[in-house]
Amino acid sequence: MSAKNDSRLRRARRTRARMRTQGVNRLSVHRTPRHIYAQVFAPAGDKVLASASTLDSSLRSGATGNIDAAAAVGKLVAERAKAAGVDKVAFDRSGYKYHGRIKALADAARESGLEF
């Protein structure tokens, strides 16, 4: 593993520990150059309540590694979370900087009615 990824994971661990003490649902994001994934976890971190990614058949067409695709994933995960009865989450950016695709996903989820 690279030093860059190690420090990202270290940052992620720190924020996740804090979210665990708050006992709230967690919207976790993972990105690769080609795809972006989002999952809503239960407060204990043991159950996935909702998930969406650019691998979903509805989002698969067109580019999957850009801001528009990330916004579509944010909208979809928010809709699925609301369907599962979740309306408040803590945003776990997994150590990534809050800009670009991560920001687009978060903004789209907020616009679709998810609170964080």
Side-chain angles (χ1 to χ4, degrees):
M1 239 187 218
S2 67
K4 186 175 183 180
N5 202 36
D6 283 343
S7 51
R8 178 187 72 79
L9 291 171
R10 192 187 70 243
R11 288 192 301 270
R13 255 195 308 276
R14 196 166 55 219
T15 55
R16 286 180 187 143
R18 179 116 193 259
M19 287 175 199
R20 223 166 267 128
T21 60
Q22 291 172 337
V24 290
N25 293 314
R26 174 167 64 95
L27 171 58
S28 183
V29 177
H30 178 69
R31 75 182 165 95
T32 63
R34 187 176 285 178
H35 292 289
I36 191 156
Y37 312 82
Q39 293 178 304
V40 177
F41 288 99
D46 57 348
K47 270 201 223 62
V48 176
L49 307 173
S51 68
S53 78
T54 47
L55 293 175
D56 289 8
S57 54
S58 57
L59 304 176
R60 198 81 201 242
S61 59
T64 55
N66 62 14
I67 286 179
D68 297 335
V73 170
K75 188 172 184 228
L76 189 60
V77 78
E79 287 166 6
R80 289 178 179 174
K82 290 190 81 70
V86 176
D87 51 358
K88 280 193 86 166
V89 293
F91 187 60
D92 174 10
R93 56 191 173 82
S94 303
Y96 298 115
K97 278 185 177 172
Y98 186 79
H99 76 121
R101 293 191 289 157
I102 301 292
K103 184 176 189 294
L105 190 147
D107 291 344
R110 270 194 205 98
E111 280 167 28
S112 298
L114 218 51
E115 273 182 60
F116 51 93

